[in-house]
Amino acid sequence: MTLPDFALARPDTLEEALALLGDDQVPYCGGTELLLAMKVGLQRPETLVDVKRVPELRGVRSSHGELVIGGASTHDDLSRDALVREVLPLLAEVEAHVGNARVRVQGSIGGNLCFAEPKSDVATTLIALDASVTLQSSSGRRTLLVRDFIVGPYYADKEPGELLIDVRIPLVATRRGAYVKFQVTERPTVGVAVVQDTETGACRVVVGAVGEIPVWRDWASVADIDVEELSSAVDPVEDLTGSERYKRHLTAVFVRRALRDLERSS
Amino acid sequence: MSDPSAREDVIGQSVIRRDLLEKVTGAAEYTVDITMPGALHAKIVRSDRAHARILDIDAREALTLPGVVSVITSDDLRGLYPRFGHIIADHCILAIDKVRYYGEPVALVLAETVHEAADAAELVRVTYEDLAAVLDADQALAPGAPLVHEQRYASSDDDSFRLLTGGKGKVATEAAAELSNVAHQVTLEWGDADAALREADIVVESEVHFPMLYAYAMEPYNAVASYSADGLTVISTAQHPYMVRDDLARIFDLPLSRVRVRAPYLGGGYGSKSYTKVEPLAAVGSWVARRPVKLVLDVEESIYTTRADPADVKITSGFTKDGRILVRVIDMVMDSGAYADNSPLVLAKALNRSFGPYRVPTLRATGRSLYTNTAPASSYRGFGAPQGALAGETNLDQAADRLGITSADIRRLNLVDRDEEILPGKRGLDADIKADLEMVLASLNRDAKDVAGYGVGFACTASDAGAYPVSTAQVRVQTDGSVTVLSGSTEMGQGSRSALAQIASHELGIDMSRVQVVQSDTAITPYERTTGASRTTTLVGLALQRACEDARKRVREMAAEIMACDGDEVTDVPGGVSTPGQAFLSYGDVIKAWFGAAAGEVTGVGLVRREGVTEKMPPFWEIGMVGVAVQVDSDTGVVTVDQLVTVADVGFAINPQAVEAQDLGAATQGLGMALYEELVYDGAQLANANVVDYRVPRATDVPAKLDLMIAQRRDGVGPYGAKGAGEGTLNPVGAAVAAAVARATGKWPDRLPLTPERVWTLISDSGSAKE
């Protein structure tokens, strides 16, 4: 459990950062996932490219009907950010309860998504909010939805030369949402996000943590939500926090609890 | 000056812990902070299988790495006694011929830096021939099971281990006659159990499983050792430095006086740091390399070093129709892992504590401690009592249900009275346990709620505590009247440093700020057998009182000499003596006058052995009296402990705040085993050898309502009537939570921890919570 040797690069601009990235030159931000992976020998990169000084990765702004969150923003930053709290209180609330205090002050939203940790509260919430990510490499820029970005457990659709610049969430004035999770150990056993457009009544339910990747469903109205269908659609990973049977049961319980909280939200 | 009314301002008052400021500021020194000049760093190469013959260890590649000095295997230990173990010397320092569990040390890499040692350890190639393994108790007991040990080892001839077990009835405590995986077995018996069961009006049988636990301490095992022509010095995170010294002296065949073991502050012990652990590894590393060696384990390695014994317990109790216990029959099997360590004693104590502090006219309790190909088990706070109590107390509650009486009434009917023997021939109960029960019941009743999913449970235990009464202490009175207290008892967070300072302050009539307490260095501090079994306040306290008395006597004699008066004309006064010629002479005045210079000191010595007040075993009974109220979420199975009620029956609380803190800590640790904690083997390896997946209690798990009561009846043999605290309150917690969950759900759980899924299964399935 000792950290292997590595070089540390600290670029000041996006161009410098992108030029440094490669197969063995990986982005480093909070290090809450990367350093652990290195300590247990899962990764042994040659260079850590510290992206925290890159201006494009910092800050939160509203732009063209979207909330744009710099990829290096920490969970703690987002839980306190005045703009996030005003326009997306759901996200601020989720970020305030991610992991533990140390993870929140160190870990970034971009790093969280790039690691595609199956127990991520953030990914589940962002899929419910129909968020997308902006990826950039020296050869160009692309945008894809978070739900497409998360391909598998610990596997995101990102090339080694790409950097997650920002997360973009469409701002919908008539939207409301809720997130509930069941957590006994360090990570959630199940997390459920539900977001509804109160004008059309349409809603999306996303179930995370229980399986390898979040499962999501869109319904025309809350009344149409088929809790049983959702709890049979998830593919629970059996572990010390529960059997498949128990986790399907918990899925149903927490979808109902999320819907109850949704009704209570304004 | 033993009249406690003389200085109530010191004893019986909550004082700020002596170690508080340095610990919260990070300035406190722990073993890991200690470096020795020229020290090498060690990394252990561990077995990656449960049971295998070692065919070859190839260290050639590892030795080519820069900074690597040596790779040590058991072959390098020729000339040494290659094993340790204070009861059964079965524990290989480095695996000899075969490995017996995943994680067993096979080789020790020494290098100039931690990183170099870690990198080289990965390059040591060990070739094994796999052997069939026994991974749990059932496999170990199966006919024709592979043997974990094919030989017997030297057992301790120390009579004290026999005295720590059973009562005067028929007691058998021995290794099995034939070679098997039974490391140790104990029988405790009085009366004719079969006949008594036939006579009983009702017979209640139950069976429980107590989980495999890890006594999580924030500080993992670590040690630094230096072997030289002068002898061996080891600094380690050891609860019992003197016990470790004895093992080390045997390994190197050194005189005890040339083995020095020092224990700075411990970052938590809870029994897991009692007896020898990593000290021999660091020591043999230094013996081979002739340089100091530092060895620091991580949490995973610590879990594979020592865990606690899980237990399967069957209990059958016979009652009269009005609820009196006629007989209890108990059979306990513990999975003690690859080496015995302290498990034989844990087993004996578990049996002593399995039938409860009740009048049990007839008893047959049998227990077996088994070798398995898993990490070795040893002591854990409570020492078998949580295992026994879970079985005995829940059985009693189920009997109450069958008899149609309350859980309170069945206990009122059967609890022993003051001075009544629990174990025949042993010390009678030095407590009013019935009054303690009423305190808990009153508190629980005061806050009772009548809502769905709500349940109240309580349980009582009495542990034969204090371990074996061998304790010594010294006080050195200086020319300025300040005092150094020397004790071999370890400060491991329990607050002994403050309690001992309070006692010395009171006994010598000096301000506490003028008392310095120095602990746990076998070269400097006097002998202390162990720091465990809640013994320090009682036994070290007694030794210290006697040391103070001795010092005062010496000062009186000196004063008589310098004042040319009779010895009986000199009397003690706070901080000094009074003589006919001079109303007040401070200790310093006397010492300086006697030595004839502004120099000198007086040393007082206090000894405790099995005589007088401490002749009868155990030195005292430690009561565990706990009630809880829980709320069960029937949708998820989550158990929330709403209320916790404890009674610390300590005789006299020298530092009341410390007593409360010990009880809250013990109860919270008990909630860990009741609700969250369990080591789970998945084949040869643990599935959760880390504190992410092995869930220990958090600050947010502490119940909303706490009632931490102290019963002070001055009925202990310790100073001012004090008895120990620290373990007692943990012991009944598992049983109390199980009872509360049963009351909330209408079904009796038969195993801990009561994880959400287990409770949900208990609620939603017919039958029990068995998996």
Side-chain angles (χ1 to χ4, degrees):
Chain A
M1 290 291 270
T2 50
L3 210 52
D5 289 340
F6 58 87
L8 179 66
R10 308 190 81 178
D12 291 311
T13 68
L14 183 58
E15 291 66 33
E16 282 171 38
L18 293 174
L20 284 163
L21 292 179
D23 285 340
D24 285 323
Q25 295 78 26
V26 303
Y28 158 71
C29 192
T32 57
E33 306 269 7
L34 177 63
L35 298 186
L36 282 181
M38 289 168 67
K39 276 186 179 176
V40 298
L42 293 172
Q43 292 203 32
R44 205 155 183 163
E46 185 184 279
T47 306
L48 302 192
V49 181
D50 185 351
V51 298
K52 288 193 285 290
R53 297 175 179 199
V54 175
E56 287 84 346
L57 269 65
R58 305 198 63 92
V60 179
R61 63 184 197 280
S62 172
S63 166
H64 305 293
E66 286 181 324
L67 187 71
V68 181
I69 298 170
S73 306
T74 68
H75 303 297
D76 189 60
D77 290 339
L78 296 174
S79 71
R80 295 163 191 276
D81 187 274
L83 181 59
V84 177
R85 294 189 74 85
E86 185 198 329
V87 299
L88 265 176
L90 172 65
L91 182 65
E93 199 52 32
V94 169
E95 292 287 16
H97 294 97
V98 164
N100 54 48
R102 215 166 67 169
V103 165
R104 289 193 291 274
V105 296
Q106 284 284 116
S108 65
I109 189 169
N112 185 293
L113 291 175
C114 290
F115 265 86
E117 150 70 67
K119 304 273 187 190
S120 168
D121 300 310
V122 178
T124 302
T125 309
L126 290 176
I127 292 171
L129 292 167
D130 216 24
S132 57
V133 293
T134 308
L135 300 169
Q136 187 159 351
S137 66
S138 339
S139 55
R141 173 181 280 242
R142 63 184 176 124
T143 298
L144 69 170
L145 290 168
V146 172
R147 68 183 195 230
D148 297 327
F149 182 61
I150 309 289
V151 180
Y154 308 103
Y155 177 38
D157 179 6
K158 187 180 88 66
E159 297 301 321
E162 283 184 318
L163 190 59
L164 189 154
I165 306 294
D166 56 45
V167 177
R168 290 168 184 254
I169 304 165
L171 288 173
V172 181
T174 53
R175 182 171 53 201
R176 63 176 183 167
Y179 182 78
V180 290
K181 62 175 167 176
F182 180 69
Q183 187 166 336
V184 177
T185 58
E186 198 68 21
R187 301 189 182 94
T189 304
V190 58
V192 178
V194 50
V195 170
Q196 184 186 31
D197 186 331
T198 52
E199 199 168 85
T200 66
C203 56
R204 173 175 292 177
V205 180
V206 188
V207 181
V210 75
E212 293 191 327
I213 54 170
V215 169
W216 57 277
R217 289 281 186 281
D218 284 328
W219 277 285
S221 75
V222 168
D224 291 328
I225 293 174
D226 185 343
V227 176
E228 297 309 316
E229 192 277 329
L230 242 182
S231 62
S232 52
V234 295
D235 189 8
V237 176
E238 293 203 322
D239 58 22
L240 295 175
T241 68
S243 63
E244 180 187 335
R245 172 174 170 250
Y246 180 59
K247 288 189 173 183
R248 284 195 197 285
H249 166 77
L250 282 179
T251 299
V253 169
F254 280 82
V255 169
R256 288 193 196 99
R257 289 186 181 182
L259 294 172
R260 181 198 63 197
D261 284 7
L262 182 77
E263 288 308 317
R264 289 178 187 163
S265 67
S266 46
Chain B
M1 221 173 298
S2 287
D3 173 13
S5 59
R7 287 184 65 88
E8 286 283 10
D9 56 323
V10 184
I11 54 158
Q13 295 300 315
S14 294
V15 301
I16 292 173
R17 295 179 63 106
R18 303 213 130 192
D19 49 346
L20 178 77
L21 203 60
E22 53 178 327
K23 281 184 177 170
V24 298
T25 57
E29 181 185 65
Y30 294 87
T31 301
V32 76
D33 297 314
I34 293 166
T35 53
M36 288 184 179
L40 294 167
H41 295 270
K43 179 74 185 176
I44 299 168
V45 178
R46 293 177 180 276
S47 166
D48 62 357
R49 56 205 68 206
H51 197 193
R53 196 160 303 289
I54 300 169
L55 300 180
D56 182 56
I57 302 174
D58 180 356
R60 283 171 299 181
E61 194 181 349
L63 286 165
T64 63
L65 287 197
V68 177
V69 171
S70 185
V71 177
I72 302 168
T73 70
S74 62
D75 284 346
D76 299 304
L77 307 187
R78 286 199 193 95
L80 301 183
Y81 187 89
R83 299 174 196 275
F84 61 95
H86 62 288
I87 299 177
I88 302 174
D90 60 0
H91 208 141
C92 304
I93 300 171
L94 288 163
I96 300 170
D97 300 331
K98 71 172 190 173
V99 291
R100 295 182 173 83
Y101 69 96
Y102 179 100
E104 177 161 13
V106 174
L108 189 72
V109 177
L110 304 181
E112 300 290 345
T113 70
V114 174
H115 284 78
E116 288 163 348
D119 285 347
E122 288 176 21
L123 298 179
V124 176
R125 314 270 177 237
V126 186
T127 313
Y128 296 101
E129 176 196 339
D130 279 315
L131 300 169
V134 289
L135 294 170
D136 60 31
D138 288 341
Q139 290 178 22
L141 287 173
L147 292 174
V148 180
H149 293 268
E150 294 94 349
Q151 64 175 105
R152 295 239 166 274
Y153 307 91
S155 290
S156 172
D157 55 3
D158 183 345
D159 199 39
S160 66
F161 290 108
R162 187 183 59 75
L163 288 161
L164 287 167
T165 61
K168 204 168 63 183
K170 184 181 151 201
V171 182
T173 165
E174 65 210 25
E178 287 172 37
L179 271 181
S180 73
N181 288 318
V182 178
H184 197 74
Q185 56 190 16
V186 179
T187 305
L188 185 61
E189 190 168 12
W190 53 82
D192 182 341
D194 296 325
L197 281 172
R198 282 193 299 273
E199 286 160 21
D201 292 323
I202 76 153
V203 172
V204 179
E205 290 179 63
S206 57
E207 202 173 330
V208 295
H209 176 77
F210 186 88
M212 185 186 289
L213 298 172
Y214 174 57
Y216 173 63
M218 285 174 75
E219 178 200 29
Y221 295 111
N222 70 110
V224 55
S226 176
Y227 191 97
S228 71
D230 197 37
L232 173 66
T233 298
V234 178
I235 299 163
S236 175
T237 174
Q239 286 180 228
H240 313 336
Y242 275 93
M243 286 277 192
V244 174
R245 177 196 65 165
D246 295 356
D247 265 329
L248 292 171
R250 177 168 58 180
I251 290 167
F252 297 99
D253 193 23
L254 283 170
L256 294 176
S257 59
R258 285 176 57 197
V259 179
R260 178 181 188 180
V261 179
R262 178 161 89 79
Y265 284 133
L266 262 60
Y270 316 113
S272 73
K273 289 173 181 165
S274 47
Y275 309 104
T276 305
K277 306 295 178 201
V278 297
E279 298 86 357
L281 283 165
V284 299
S286 180
W287 179 77
V288 169
R290 298 291 155 152
R291 284 171 64 179
V293 168
K294 189 169 178 67
L295 173 64
V296 180
L297 306 194
D298 61 28
V299 171
E300 180 174 1
E301 290 181 291
S302 294
I303 292 174
Y304 278 113
T305 300
T306 309
R307 58 173 176 82
D309 292 84
D312 290 304
V313 192
K314 288 180 195 151
I315 179 162
T316 305
S317 306
F319 298 85
T320 62
K321 58 181 178 299
D322 62 351
R324 284 177 205 281
I325 298 171
L326 287 174
V327 54
R328 303 196 95 171
V329 176
I330 293 143
D331 180 59
M332 186 178 304
V333 174
M334 285 183 162
D335 172 354
S336 300
Y339 295 106
D341 202 311
N342 207 36
S343 287
L345 201 52
V346 174
L347 173 70
K349 291 287 189 184
L351 284 193
N352 288 354
R353 296 158 182 188
S354 61
F355 50 90
Y358 305 107
R359 210 165 287 128
V360 181
T362 301
L363 178 84
R364 184 171 68 224
T366 52
R368 285 167 292 174
S369 157
L370 304 182
Y371 283 130
T372 62
N373 293 115
T374 60
S378 186
S379 319
Y380 179 29
R381 195 175 192 169
F383 225 100
Q387 289 93 325
L390 177 67
E393 288 293 280
T394 57
N395 178 268
L396 199 65
D397 284 324
Q398 291 169 46
D401 289 357
R402 289 264 305 275
L403 288 156
I405 61 178
T406 66
S407 288
D409 281 341
I410 200 168
R411 287 177 173 80
R412 289 181 179 122
L413 207 55
N414 288 291
L415 281 169
V416 296
D417 289 316
R418 178 181 292 286
D419 296 328
E420 197 174 342
E421 286 176 355
I422 295 173
L423 284 166
K426 299 279 181 178
R427 182 184 297 277
L429 184 67
D430 50 353
D432 188 346
I433 194 170
K434 289 181 175 173
D436 296 339
L437 173 65
E438 298 304 329
M439 288 167 75
V440 163
L441 294 173
S443 182
L444 288 171
N445 288 336
R446 205 164 40 238
D447 287 312
K449 282 189 205 167
D450 187 16
V451 293
Y454 195 79
V456 169
F458 50 89
C460 343
T461 57
S463 297
D464 41 334
Y468 196 77
V470 173
S471 188
T472 72
Q474 294 176 9
V475 289
R476 293 167 53 196
V477 185
Q478 308 298 319
T479 49
D480 63 355
S482 67
V483 163
T484 306
V485 172
L486 298 174
S487 165
S489 179
T490 302
E491 171 58 68
M492 52 182 184
Q494 83 279 43
S496 63
R497 194 154 297 186
S498 302
L500 296 179
Q502 285 175 281
I503 292 169
S505 164
H506 173 77
E507 293 297 320
L508 297 170
I510 58 172
D511 195 83
M512 237 182 88
S513 64
R514 299 178 66 75
V515 180
Q516 180 74 358
V517 180
V518 176
Q519 292 171 279
S520 296
D521 182 337
T522 63
I524 293 171
T525 61
Y527 185 86
E528 184 63 32
R529 186 182 170 90
T530 57
T531 305
S534 303
R535 65 185 266 139
T536 300
T537 300
T538 309
L539 297 178
V540 183
L542 270 185
L544 177 56
Q545 265 190 319
R546 290 172 188 177
C548 292
E549 166 80 47
D550 186 45
R552 290 199 312 265
K553 177 169 158 280
R554 286 170 197 270
V555 171
R556 286 197 305 270
E557 287 167 1
M558 289 171 163
E561 189 182 327
I562 58 178
M563 298 303 289
C565 62
D566 285 344
D568 56 11
E569 291 178 309
V570 183
T571 54
D572 288 334
V573 292
V577 293
S578 184
T579 68
Q582 184 126 17
F584 179 73
L585 279 169
S586 72
Y587 298 133
D589 294 339
V590 175
I591 292 166
K592 284 186 279 194
W594 192 87
F595 281 97
E601 71 174 41
V602 165
T603 301
V605 175
L607 308 177
V608 170
R609 60 174 174 160
R610 275 195 65 222
E611 64 156 8
V613 294
T614 50
E615 183 176 355
K616 273 220 149 184
M617 293 288 280
F620 62 95
W621 288 92
E622 187 174 0
I623 303 301
M625 186 63 71
V626 169
V628 293
V630 305
Q631 180 71 51
V632 175
D633 178 344
S634 59
D635 281 342
T636 60
V638 168
V639 176
T640 305
V641 181
D642 181 52
Q643 184 182 6
L644 169 72
V645 181
T646 64
V647 176
D649 186 331
V650 294
F652 176 71
I654 289 168
N655 186 357
Q657 191 180 46
V659 172
E660 287 177 7
Q662 277 291 304
D663 269 9
L664 181 57
T668 306
Q669 204 159 22
L671 292 177
M673 65 179 70
L675 296 174
Y676 318 112
E677 295 183 42
E678 180 170 30
L679 288 174
V680 179
Y681 263 95
D682 180 12
Q685 285 187 66
L686 284 164
N688 55 347
N690 60 70
V691 278
V692 172
D693 299 311
Y694 183 83
R695 160 77 153 88
V696 295
R698 303 170 180 160
T700 49
D701 296 325
V702 173
K705 279 184 286 184
L706 297 174
D707 192 0
L708 309 169
M709 294 177 278
I710 305 179
Q712 304 197 64
R713 305 187 189 101
R714 304 227 183 207
D715 44 12
V717 299
Y720 329 116
K723 295 176 279 187
E727 286 191 4
T729 296
L730 177 143
N731 299 337
V733 173
V737 171
V741 168
R743 300 304 178 206
T745 63
K747 289 181 181 172
W748 277 98
D750 62 3
R751 64 192 298 142
L752 300 180
L754 290 164
T755 59
E757 181 168 13
R758 281 200 184 127
V759 174
W760 176 73
T761 307
L762 185 71
I763 296 167
S764 48
D765 291 2
S766 54
S768 73
K770 273 185 192 149
E771 286 175 335

